[in-house]
Amino acid sequence: MDSIGPVGLQQGEGAPCYPQESLPCPSDSSELVQECLRQFKVTGAQLRQIQASLLSSMEQALGGQVSPASAVRMLPTYVGSTPHGTEQGDFLVLELGATGASLRILWVTLTGTEGHRMEPRSQEFVIPQEVMLGPGQQLFDFAACCLSEFLDALPVGNQNLQLGFSFSFPCHQTGLDRSTLISWTKGFRCSGVEGQDVVQLLRDAIQRQGAYSIDVVAVVNDTVGTMMGCEPGVGPCEVGLVVDTGTNACYMEEARHVAVLDEDRGRVCVSVEWGSFGDDGALGPVLTTFDCALDRESLNPGAQRFEKMIGGLYLGELVRLVLAHLAQCGVLFGGCTSPALLSRGSILLEHVAEMEDPSAGAARVHTILQDLGLSPGASDVELVQHVCAAVCMRAAQLCAAALAAVLSHLQHSREQQTLQITVATGGRVFERQPRFLSILQETVMFLAPECDVSFIPSLDGGGRGVAMVTAVAARLAAHRRLLEETLAPFRLNREQLAAVQAQMREAMTKGLRGEASSLRMLPTYVRATPDGSERGDFLALDLGGTNFRVLLVRVATGGVQITNQVYSIPECVAQGSGQQLFDHIVDCIVDFQQKQGLSGQSLPLGFTFSFPCRQLGLDQGILLNWTKGFNASDCEGQDVVCLLREAIGRRKAVELNVVAIVNDTVGTMMSCGYEDPHCEVGLIVGTGTNACYMEELRNVAGVAGDSGHMCINMEWGAFGDDGSLGVLSTCFDARVDQASINPGKQRFEKMISGMYLGEIVRHILLHLTSLGVLFRGQQTQCLQTRDIFKTKFLSEIESDSLALRQVRAILEDLGLPLTSDDALMVLEVCQAVSQRAAQLCGAGVAAVVEKIRENRGLEELTVSVGVDGTLYKLHPHFSSLVAATVRELAPRCVVTFLQSEDGSGKGAALVTAVACRLAQTACV
Ligand code: BG6
Ligand code: GLC
Ligand code: GLC
């Protein structure tokens, strides 16, 4: 049995490569001929070793291991599926690099119906040698020029043309239309192209040419075009094999096996780039002295060693080197050479193909040799035929070993006993040398007997496949444009944000004066932030955010100690009768008191009530209207403290001393103010959004006194309810507003806060689905469900530590079956919506801090903002976007954001403590 082992470890690695001139000529001529031909023989064992070594090289490269043994590159393309057969339209295809020194342009029409095919129009242009070796710009200008010439002859008019670029060199692709050349191979060596995006270079050249409007939508390797352009046989065609000037293959790989991709589902087409196999020395045992000589004289010595044994660019040259050697040793042509025989490139692939073909007959071989300036005898002709056959046979066998490596990899990774697969073949070697395919087939059968392979020639030399990929790329590009159009209104520029700041500022002034304004600017009767001398035990309630809480707050010399319990408020209670709601609140307090052993004590109570209230004193607050999800009846227009006291009265057993009612913004400001005396602003970005700040009392109409300060609850959630935000409001905002329990109200809040962002995203996703951009255009029941897309998903999806596949998992849990393109788009939608929210919030904060600075006539203001709210705290980028916007719009204010750690209940207790302290001082 043949042993299988890595070729690289075999004895003979790096076979000596001595210069051609010094090749020894043995005295026995028949021995010399045998020796030459023997060098080209590859044994079954050697083929198996190549197969095994290539397989392990492929697997290492897939696993992301960059080791010297990984000589194949395994480059992922952005092709994720084989054709549907529904692709349609007219496409231009430009092929560069597959077929030596020629460039081919095709006009391909895809009909969208399988079996119905239209012949493409095509034209070939010869690329002059100096262009292949000159500056890159010259090559791309040449291509653009050929395109114009081709199109001039077609009646295409001025339409916008979509082009697929078949570029057959190793490239790192980063998108369907982005591809960086790693290195030139085959006969090309243009300067300034390696490391550049070849799509951009082509676009630039087309632009310079200026004749046609051509959009380069996709770039593909020739192997990919070959695979995609094959009419499916028994099963889908999942391997593309090219043997033309060079050689390579691509195949459909499981995405999870490709380490460089952040993807665990589906398949992706990978270009093996096996031409470079052996560049690390692994081919040592099978390299002949002629291979070494050929490599040394090539444009890229040491590179593409495997390709140089198989590719059509090299077969003729190998034959020439052998014939020249034999002639020089006197075995051929009577020991005579000719200048042509000694010149590089004088024997081409087509010569070898003809000379090797037994049916062509001796006469043809004779003519070819004569054209090379040689005078062959009858035995010479026969020997030359042997040489050609040996070189070609080896090429086909080596190619088979490589293909067998790909097939066995597929068979193992798909865990199939027998792999049934279709391989699309393309390239001139197949066309010109019929024997190549039969040797290849035979050898593959020998090396991979468990694979049942059908070989099908690709249509239109791969041009059709390139058009297929282009069609898909064009569809994706159209989707991207629709996504951008949809999200454009969410992307606010500096001017728009400055306008929001200015409008907010104006509305603040009007609201403070008591003039018509969407900002109510409610006095809170909080005149001072804590001074640290407050002491005592207090009860606090915290109603209106995500959680309803009852707290015991102990303010002592050593600091503040808090014990709290969260109670739920069922939606039926939040939206039931007022009496029911307040009875429920008192029940919770009683429960808390019992659990804490506080029953019977009448501690002072601070009530954080996070809704707009007109306060007439610290312990009086008339609810103006419910916001967020609350809508309990018979409360609006009532004093909330009275409603609470009445409920306490109904529950005869308890006594409570309600001292203060506090908005959550105020509670947050006070809570942070206990630690930092600069904290003069409170900000909430949670279920709802709002801010409060310390205003000069003289600016506050309706409250007596001209000196000192008072905290103003802005109720900025209602900003824009007079229509002033109209220009910024999108159709999605309008839909969210219309479906809410308070249409037309809290318009600013509905663009910013947690209760609404998920809904905005959901409406955008519905729209994109209806455009066919997302979820293949299929509407799901799930996405039609209100509030299914929670705002916390935005925080999760936008988290930097999440890979795209985790984003997909979150969405799939929601019942949204999506591709990675979909996942990326959903992420972009979330980003646009939360970015706008943070920027609008920042514009509001900028208006507030600027007002404080101007009130005080300061050149520069240093101020802290106490912040709370789940969106602000949980979202990965919200806080930094708010801060960045404030820096931009209020450059003369140095603003520090402090996150409240204890919620606004602590603040309510502190307000109560200050009130108690002041009351005691007054009594003394
Ligand atoms: C909490 C406060 O910490 O933040 C609440 O104690 C406030 O009173 C809340 O309403 C705001 O955030 P959310 O996300 O709970 O609405
Ligand atoms: C070379 C190129 C490769 C191409 C092959 C066949 O090996 O590097 O990208 O597919 O030739 O044209
Ligand atoms: C809503 C309320 C407001 C509160 C804010 C944050 O906008 O009307 O009073 O401060 O939500 O919870």
Side-chain angles (χ1 to χ4, degrees):
M1 244 189 98
D2 293 328
S3 69
I4 299 181
V7 172
L9 300 179
Q10 292 294 302
Q11 229 197 354
E13 174 179 329
C17 278
Y18 31 85
Q20 195 196 337
E21 302 79 62
S22 65
L23 280 181
C25 293
S27 49
D28 180 339
S29 61
S30 83
E31 191 193 311
L32 172 60
V33 172
Q34 287 319 312
E35 164 58 22
C36 269
L37 294 178
R38 210 184 47 238
Q39 280 196 48
F40 284 90
K41 281 222 166 62
V42 191
T43 65
Q46 284 174 321
L47 289 175
R48 282 187 199 281
Q49 281 161 356
I50 288 170
Q51 176 187 4
S53 172
L54 206 132
L55 178 62
S56 89
S57 176
M58 278 172 63
E59 286 173 353
Q60 279 184 36
L62 280 177
Q65 271 172 277
V66 190
S67 77
S70 293
V72 297
R73 296 187 199 264
M74 307 305 278
L75 300 169
T77 70
Y78 277 71
V79 170
S81 58
T82 47
H84 293 175
T86 52
E87 293 79 7
Q88 53 181 310
D90 291 320
F91 300 95
L92 258 181
V93 172
L94 170 70
E95 287 179 358
L96 180 65
T99 306
S102 71
L103 177 151
R104 201 162 71 116
I105 300 176
L106 296 93
W107 177 265
V108 184
T109 301
L110 301 179
T111 58
T113 22
E114 248 175 79
H116 176 55
R117 205 164 73 78
M118 280 171 68
E119 275 307 310
R121 313 227 343 208
S122 73
Q123 193 176 345
E124 233 173 279
F125 299 84
V126 174
I127 312 174
Q129 186 75 8
E130 67 272 16
V131 173
M132 288 170 70
L133 301 175
Q137 183 164 327
Q138 192 185 337
L139 173 71
F140 285 91
D141 281 340
F142 176 79
C145 189
C146 296
L147 273 171
S148 295
E149 194 182 319
F150 176 78
L151 290 169
D152 286 346
L154 279 183
V156 291
N158 261 345
Q159 57 175 303
N160 195 2
L161 303 163
Q162 295 180 317
L163 180 137
F165 184 20
S166 169
F167 186 73
S168 305
F169 300 95
C171 287
H172 273 302
Q173 262 187 268
T174 50
L176 265 173
D177 65 346
R178 280 191 308 274
S179 194
T180 307
L181 174 64
I182 299 172
S183 58
W184 287 113
T185 54
K186 302 176 281 192
F188 285 78
R189 202 176 54 193
C190 298
S191 56
V193 185
E194 289 177 353
Q196 302 294 312
D197 175 7
V198 292
V199 174
Q200 200 48 48
L201 294 175
L202 179 61
R203 282 185 182 140
D204 293 347
I206 292 172
Q207 186 127 36
R208 277 196 295 276
Q209 240 276 323
Y212 287 89
S213 151
I214 303 172
D215 202 0
V216 185
V217 251
V219 59
V220 292
N221 186 266
D222 52 355
T223 54
V224 183
T226 299
M227 180 185 80
M228 296 288 282
C230 162
E231 216 130 70
V234 194
C237 171
E238 295 183 300
V239 180
L241 167 64
V242 168
V243 191
D244 202 303
T245 314
T247 180
N248 185 19
C250 71
Y251 71 100
M252 296 306 292
E253 176 61 274
E254 305 302 314
R256 65 175 187 281
H257 294 161
V258 189
V260 292
L261 293 180
D262 171 28
E263 186 55 79
D264 64 351
R265 275 167 242 209
R267 289 179 177 171
V268 64
C269 175
V270 170
S271 166
V272 179
E273 282 295 336
W274 68 32
S276 54
F277 175 63
D279 290 2
D280 55 353
L283 283 167
V286 289
L287 286 173
T288 67
T289 46
F290 305 102
D291 293 307
C292 297
L294 177 141
D295 176 55
R296 223 176 12 250
E297 288 172 12
S298 68
L299 280 180
N300 51 352
Q304 303 291 106
R305 299 303 301 267
F306 194 56
E307 176 161 273
K308 286 172 183 163
M309 301 168 92
I310 302 172
L313 181 64
Y314 308 101
L315 297 185
E317 191 57 10
L318 282 173
V319 168
R320 184 189 70 81
L321 289 171
V322 177
L323 299 189
H325 175 63
L326 292 176
Q328 279 165 339
C329 292
V331 180
L332 266 180
F333 317 126
C336 298
T337 60
S338 69
L341 185 65
L342 296 179
S343 317
R344 237 175 53 197
S346 58
I347 300 186
L348 302 175
L349 170 69
E350 32 277 51
H351 300 138
V352 179
E354 285 188 68
M355 295 194 288
E356 185 231 17
D357 180 2
S359 63
R364 185 65 194 133
V365 182
H366 216 271
T367 318
I368 292 172
L369 293 173
Q370 268 180 338
D371 288 350
L372 286 170
L374 301 163
S375 325
S379 62
D380 289 341
V381 167
E382 200 180 324
L383 185 53
V384 168
Q385 281 183 313
H386 281 314
V387 171
C388 290
V391 168
C392 293
M393 158 98 96
R394 184 187 70 159
Q397 288 175 330
L398 291 176
C399 184
L403 180 62
V406 172
L407 297 175
S408 17
H409 168 73
L410 279 175
Q411 189 218 351
H412 292 149
S413 74
R414 296 191 184 173
E415 293 170 3
Q416 286 172 355
Q417 280 235 307
T418 314
L419 177 78
Q420 262 214 343
I421 197 150
T422 305
V423 174
T425 58
R428 281 176 317 155
V429 170
F430 286 106
E431 289 158 20
R432 305 261 158 91
Q433 284 176 281
R435 267 169 36 88
F436 192 93
L437 179 63
S438 49
I439 301 169
L440 177 81
Q441 271 173 315
E442 248 170 56
T443 318
V444 167
M445 246 154 62
F446 165 69
L447 295 173
E450 58 297 323
C451 299
D452 175 5
V453 196
S454 334
F455 290 85
I456 299 192
S458 180
L459 295 171
D460 311 330
R464 190 177 143 83
V466 179
M468 295 275 191
V469 179
T470 311
V472 173
R475 195 186 64 221
L476 292 178
H479 285 178
R480 178 132 290 278
R481 275 195 294 278
L482 287 169
L483 176 75
E484 279 311 318
E485 270 168 32
T486 306
L487 295 183
F490 287 87
R491 308 205 194 277
L492 306 181
N493 58 31
R494 195 186 182 286
E495 284 64 49
Q496 287 168 307
L497 291 169
V500 172
Q501 176 186 13
Q503 280 173 15
M504 172 82 82
R505 176 62 197 273
E506 198 189 325
M508 286 169 78
T509 311
K510 286 190 176 164
L512 284 171
R513 286 198 202 121
E515 295 168 12
S517 166
S518 60
L519 290 184
R520 291 200 178 101
M521 307 301 284
L522 301 165
T524 64
Y525 292 84
V526 170
R527 292 164 198 268
T529 47
D531 68 1
S533 67
E534 299 75 12
R535 297 284 176 274
D537 290 356
F538 306 91
L539 270 182
L541 300 180
D542 188 352
L543 177 75
T546 314
N547 297 310
F548 167 52
R549 271 180 293 198
V550 185
L551 308 90
L552 170 63
V553 184
R554 298 206 140 109
V555 188
T557 324
V560 180
Q561 235 191 12
I562 299 176
T563 316
N564 76 81
Q565 183 159 355
V566 173
Y567 292 90
S568 73
I569 303 226
E571 195 177 280
C572 58
V573 173
Q575 299 186 4
S577 76
Q579 188 164 327
Q580 215 183 341
L581 172 63
F582 282 90
D583 283 348
H584 177 71
I585 292 172
V586 173
D587 284 347
C588 297
I589 301 173
V590 171
D591 177 75
F592 182 76
Q593 282 184 317
Q594 280 166 358
K595 285 191 178 139
Q596 298 301 322
L598 298 170
S599 304
Q601 293 185 38
S602 163
L603 295 178
L605 183 142
F607 184 9
T608 301
F609 183 73
S610 312
F611 300 95
C613 289
R614 183 164 306 286
Q615 287 189 248
L616 301 171
L618 208 50
D619 64 346
Q620 256 180 312
I622 295 167
L623 173 64
L624 297 172
N625 55 272
W626 287 115
T627 54
K628 303 178 278 193
F630 282 73
N631 202 13
S633 60
D634 304 323
C635 297
E636 292 180 353
Q638 304 292 315
D639 178 356
V640 180
V641 178
C642 285
L643 295 178
L644 181 61
R645 285 186 180 137
E646 281 166 22
I648 295 168
R650 283 194 291 278
R651 244 311 194 140
K652 298 213 174 45
V654 274
E655 254 185 66
L656 289 171
N657 171 20
V658 187
V659 176
I661 175 162
V662 179
N663 186 265
D664 53 356
T665 51
V666 182
T668 300
M669 180 186 80
M670 295 295 273
S671 174
C672 294
Y674 191 70
E675 319 292 338
D676 174 1
H678 283 301
C679 183
E680 295 187 275
V681 182
L683 170 67
I684 298 282
V685 194
T687 316
T689 182
N690 190 15
C692 72
Y693 71 102
M694 297 306 286
E695 177 59 91
E696 310 299 310
L697 196 53
R698 63 171 191 275
N699 291 339
V700 186
V703 178
D706 261 348
S707 66
H709 297 105
M710 180 165 285
C711 175
I712 298 294
N713 167 14
M714 293 175 66
E715 282 299 326
W716 83 10
F719 176 55
D721 287 3
D722 54 0
S724 53
L725 278 176
V727 278
L728 295 188
S729 171
T730 67
C731 59
F732 308 107
D733 295 301
R735 280 174 215 168
V736 170
D737 177 47
Q738 280 309 312
S740 68
I741 57 171
N742 52 353
K745 299 273 161 43
Q746 302 292 105
R747 298 303 301 267
F748 195 55
E749 178 159 272
K750 286 173 184 165
M751 295 166 104
I752 297 177
S753 76
M755 184 149 178
Y756 307 99
L757 294 195
E759 271 299 275
I760 300 179
V761 168
R762 186 180 70 87
H763 279 287
I764 300 175
L765 300 186
L766 277 174
H767 172 71
L768 291 172
T769 312
S770 73
L771 293 177
V773 172
L774 273 181
F775 311 133
R776 297 192 181 87
Q778 282 161 16
Q779 297 284 4
T780 56
Q781 192 57 44
C782 151
L783 209 53
Q784 317 262 8
T785 317
R786 229 182 103 179
D787 290 332
I788 189 94
F789 202 96
K790 303 273 178 254
T791 298
K792 72 166 193 214
F793 295 146
L794 271 82
S795 300
E796 287 173 12
I797 286 173
E798 289 183 56
S799 153
D800 292 332
S801 60
L802 271 204
L804 211 52
R805 58 170 168 258
Q806 289 163 294
V807 173
R808 265 175 69 164
I810 294 175
L811 298 165
E812 277 174 2
D813 278 351
L814 276 179
L816 297 173
L818 71 181
T819 63
S820 29
D821 287 334
D822 288 338
L824 194 63
M825 287 201 195
V826 174
L827 172 64
E828 285 181 50
V829 171
C830 292
Q831 281 167 339
V833 170
S834 59
Q835 166 158 337
R836 182 189 67 160
Q839 288 177 329
L840 288 174
C841 181
V845 174
V848 174
V849 293
E850 268 295 289
K851 174 127 189 15
I852 300 177
R853 187 185 67 77
E854 284 178 29
N855 279 344
R856 300 183 189 171
L858 295 172
E859 262 309 302
E860 190 180 274
L861 172 75
T862 301
V863 70
S864 299
V865 177
V867 201
D868 209 338
T870 34
L871 179 58
Y872 188 91
K873 283 179 165 173
L874 296 185
H875 192 281
H877 308 301
F878 201 94
S879 56
S880 50
L881 278 168
V882 172
T885 311
V886 174
R887 271 198 303 277
E888 173 96 23
L889 298 179
R892 292 207 266 168
C893 300
V894 181
V895 184
T896 309
F897 290 87
L898 304 170
Q899 283 199 21
S900 155
E901 298 304 332
D902 307 301
S904 38
K906 171 179 162 188
L910 288 170
V911 173
T912 309
V914 174
C916 292
R917 177 171 51 100
L918 294 178
Q920 274 166 10
T921 334
C923 293
V924 172

